[in-house]
Structure formats: structure tokens, C-alpha cells
Amino acid sequence: MALSPPATTPEAPPRRNLLSLDEDAALADAEVDGLTTLRRFKDSIHDLMPFGPAVCAVIDTPQFQRLRHIKQLGTSYYVWPGASHNRFEHCLGVAYLSQIFAEHLKARQPSLGITTRDVQCVTIAGLCHDLGHGPWSHVWDSMFIPAILPDKKWCHEDASNMMFDDLIKFLAEKGLDFDPDDARFVKALIMGDRSLCSENEKPFIFQIVANKTNGIDVDKFDYIGRDSHAIDQTSNLALKRLMYSARVIDNELCYDIKDAHQIFELCHTRMSLHKRIYTHKTGKWDFADKERDTHVLKSLAKAIEFMIVDALKLAEPVMNIARRLEDPKKYLHLTDEIMGTIESSDDPRLTEAQAILQRICVRDLYRPADSKVFRWDQKQKLKATFTPHSVVQSVKDLYENRAFDASALDGVRPEDVAELSQDHVIVDFTARHHGMQDENPLDYIKFYSKRNPNVGMHAEMDDISVTLPLMFGEVLVRVYTRDSRFLGLVQLGFRQVLKDFTRHEEAASLRHSTNLEIEVDLDLDERPASRTMATPPAEPQPSPSRQPARTLTRRGSRVLARHPSGVVVETHPMKENPFMTLPASYPNQSPKKGKKRERERTAAVDSSGERADAAAVAAPAAEGGGGDTDSESLDLNLMDVPAMAGVGAAPESPPPKKKSKS
């Protein structure tokens, strides 16, 4: 009887340092002429992106490949079909820009002492900075987690650190070790916090991936260019030019003063993308008639976010989704595909969640009732004033006291007012800014000039442009309803709260007018030479080639308020948004039906009036009067007389022939 060979245990893979893979590959390339170990990834934004073996080893891990299943723009993909790119592509782009940025500084300023290890770590940090994003990107960490775990201080960077630690363990199982100091350095770069690693690390490197000083970093470079390309919006930003413009002065990244406009254009593009894509309600006004008085709101990307969050909240007791935050093995499979998991489940406890997701598929979405844009400094007051409770209570108070504004409640059914509750209302606050909240991002950036390339300093506004905006941030308040039956009522309640808010703000302005406001009585058509001018300039002499200035009359006054930043700005009373006006009874009585009834009543009155006029004209003729008629009757008679053919008159066209049925 043959004996079987003794069982052997598989040999453990030889241990190697992760960052040493690039050095070993460089030596191998030097021995064989023409051989390269670089892998090049074809990208729609940056073309070919070359990475060495160390970065590729990180790419080829389950923790990083997970990003293929998370949409970069979340629910905006439901609005922009071309915006189908994922976090995977974005992270590759950020890694590539981090690599060339660090290599540029290394070559341009050798005195900085940037090492190959620094370049590798900043590249891996750019690659892994979004490892922790959850389903639908920011919907997960900014909406769902606060709703489920309101007391938990958590952000996707925390999950990125957790997943990065798990990635390191996976590489260790493959025989690749990541030095602990290098790992801490990478995690500190992801968080943009130098205190998380050794004090010996170079401070300026922390401004490449996640710049906490002024927000100008390669993460912003990539997603602005990539997202603009996804919606087919051409951009004139020269992002690589900005990187090549950068110099390190006093351990801080500085830029050439001639590129200040490009930097502001970058910040302005960020603001524009937030308005058009990231916080897009996708409100499409469908004007059904010529008066443009029927507003049908369709395709709501922001509303889809609320619907997804509601569905996840209903599924949470069954699926324990939020508990996966602390477990990297479970978080690994937490992607956008969770929607399909809920929809395909046979668990009857998920019926309500499935019903909401089904509404997304058939485009039966939550609908925005109204919106308004406010100043940034009003943000805290807005959150305390505009709540689902205040909106609903305003509707009920108006209905109980209908004598106050009876016309606003025409057609409203009592059962709708009684049924309306806070669960039907969503109030959304969206902060939109240029990158540094309500402050000018250029104030946080230092510039140098060609004459003084080693001196970095802040620039004044008149060193760059005097046409920059006075405010750099705003707050968009939108109110939604989960049930379209209450669309008109929710708008009515929101607008009543807006009136109360406006009256409160005006009263506060009057109380503090002595030190906060300046009342200026001037001609509204006159354009002052300067808002900050202490004394008016001497009156210019009229030029002989120009007409003398007109004498303008004073038509009113305006109020200038001092903004918290010190800038004096003009204030306006808040008014209702005329582009979203609906009757309180909508959709039970749509504007189109109301207009139709009004036109029918008007036509009936006109026809009865014409019959009365015709009878008045015919009465004298019947009596044989045949006298002159008054001018008003004559005009009415001439309105029905066909135009006479004459010089310059178009010939009368024959009536259209009816088509025969074949």
C-alpha cells in the first residue's frame, strides 16, 4: 500500500515593503532596455495616468475597488445621464494630480528636500482620500447618518481611515508591509491634519490633497474638471497651470499673482456646480398654456435624496445599515447597490421602503413647493424659523382666521387642512459658497510675483479686481412635500412664515439702525461713483461732444446695511418667489383650470354685452330712425367688419379645405 506524501503547509509569501516596490521596479527597468513596470490608466480628463507598482498594489485591493460602485455625484445621475462616473475614477485622478504636483515641487525647488517617499505617500493619500464614502456619496454622511445617529460625530474621512487600516491588513496578507510611520503620514494627509503624524513631516505637503488653509487642493481640481465634463459643460480652467504656478514660500503653497483670476474662477466654478448640479432640485417648469400659469415640477434630484433617506430609515430596523459603520468587513459591501438589495427583498417589513423606491422608478417624486435665497449671516435664524411645524401651523392659523386673507384660501378643502401634518413637509437648507463659507477665498491665499519670487503675501482686492462679489456665500431654503396633494397648502404656509420672518428682520433693522444701517435718500436711477466715498466729487464739466446730464428727480430711498464682514450692502425686503406661485388649492384646482373658468366667464359676459349692444343699435332702425350712432356703438360695429382689400393690404385667404378621409 502506497503511502501518501506528508501534508505540507503553503509557504508564507516573502515580506516586502510596499514603497520599495517602485525602487525595485526602477532597478529592473535599468537592467532590461525598453521594459517598463508602469501601468497607465486611460482617463477622460487627464488622458494617460501612469502609476508605479506601489500605487497599483493599493488600487488592486477590494477596499479600493469598492469605489467602482459608488456614484461620484450621487442622485444627480438621475438628472444628468452622462454623470455616471464613480468615486473610482475620481480617486485615480486625484492620485495622478497629487503625484505630478509633488514631483513638480521636487524638481522646481530642490531645497525643499522632497523625497521619493514623500511623493509616494501623497499619491497614495490622493488615491485613498475617498475610501470611506458611503452609498450615494454625501447623501450617506450628510443626510442619512445624522438622521439615524444624531449624536454621532462622524464623517466619511473617519471611514476612510478605517478602510485604509483594513487595506493595510489586506496588503500584509499578501506579503506587503506598510511602515507604520508612512501609514500615519498618509492618514494625516487624508484628514489634512499635521498633528496626526510626526512633526518632522513637511507642512506644505498637507496642502496638496486636503488643504484646510484655503481649500485650493487637487481634490477640488479633479472633481471640478471631471464633473463639468460629465454634464458637457466646457471649462476654461487651466488646472495644471495652477499647479505649475505654485511655489513653497515659508512652508506654504503660494501662487503667481497673475493666476489670481484663475484661482477665483476655480472657486466661482465650484459655486456654480453647487447651484446647478450638487444641490439641483431639477425644477422644470412646464407651462401648459400661454399665460404660463401651470407649474408642473418634474425630475427632482434633491427630492430623490430625501426619498432615499426615508427608504433607508424605514429599512434600518430590519437591515441594521448604520451598524456597519464600525465594521470594515461589512462596510466593504455598503454601496449604491443597497437599493437593489432592498427592492429585491421578500421581507414584508421592507414593504414601505420598497414603495418609496418604487416611486423613484416611476418618477412619482417629492415635490418642491417654494424656495428662497437668503444671506449667509441669516443661516441660524432661518433654521430656527423655517420648520415643518411652523409651515403647517401657519396654514392652520390662516384657515381658522379666513377673514385675514380669504382670497388665498379659495377652493381649499377643509379635509386637506385637517390632514396636513409635519410628516408631509420637508424644509431643506443648502449652504452655497466659494469654498471658504462667506469669506473671499483669495484672502486666505498668498501670492508672489516674478520680481519677488521668494516673498509670499496676501493681495488686496484692488490688486486683483474691484468687480469681485460683495458676498461669497448664501443659503438656499427650499420646502418640499411628500404628498403632492398638499403642494399649494405647503407653499401658502411657507410664504406666511416668510412674511413673518421679513417683518421680524425689518423690525430688528429699525432697532439697530443707529449703528448697523445707513439710510440714504438718493435718486434710484443715479449711479454713484463709489459706495465708500466720504465726500461727493466735484461736479464734472459737460463734455462738448456729449449731451448734458438729465435732471433726475428723487423717487425714493434705500437702506444700506453693514454686513458682518464690514462691507456695506443694500438690503431689500424679502418677497415671494413669483416663479413658483400656485393657488393654495393646487392640485385640486390647478391654475390652468382656474384660468379656463375665468376665460369662460369673461366670454359669457362679453357675449351678453354684445347682444345688448346689438339690440340697442337695432331698436332705432326698427323704429325707422336711421339716425347717427354714437362713436362707441360705431367702434363695436367696426370690430366685426372684415378688412377691405386695398393698397398694401394682404389679400383675403380662402377658408381652409377639409381633408377627406381616405
Side-chain angles (χ1 to χ4, degrees), residues 367 369 391-392 395-396 413-421 423-425 479-493 582-588:
R367 303 182 67 179
V391 172
V392 172
V395 174
K396 296 184 181 296
R413 300 184 303 186
E415 57 269 25
D416 289 341
V417 177
E419 188 178 351
L420 179 64
S421 68
D423 294 335
H424 296 118
V425 181
V479 59
Y480 291 80
T481 176
R482 292 182 170 92
D483 193 333
S484 59
R485 292 180 301 152
F486 306 106
L487 187 61
L489 286 177
V490 171
Q491 181 183 99
L492 177 64
L582 291 168
S585 57
Y586 185 87
N588 298 322

Side-chain angles (χ1 to χ4, degrees), residues 633-645 652:
S633 300
L634 182 62
D635 292 340
L636 289 173
N637 292 334
L638 289 178
M639 289 176 63
D640 296 329
V641 177
M644 298 176 62
E652 185 177 358

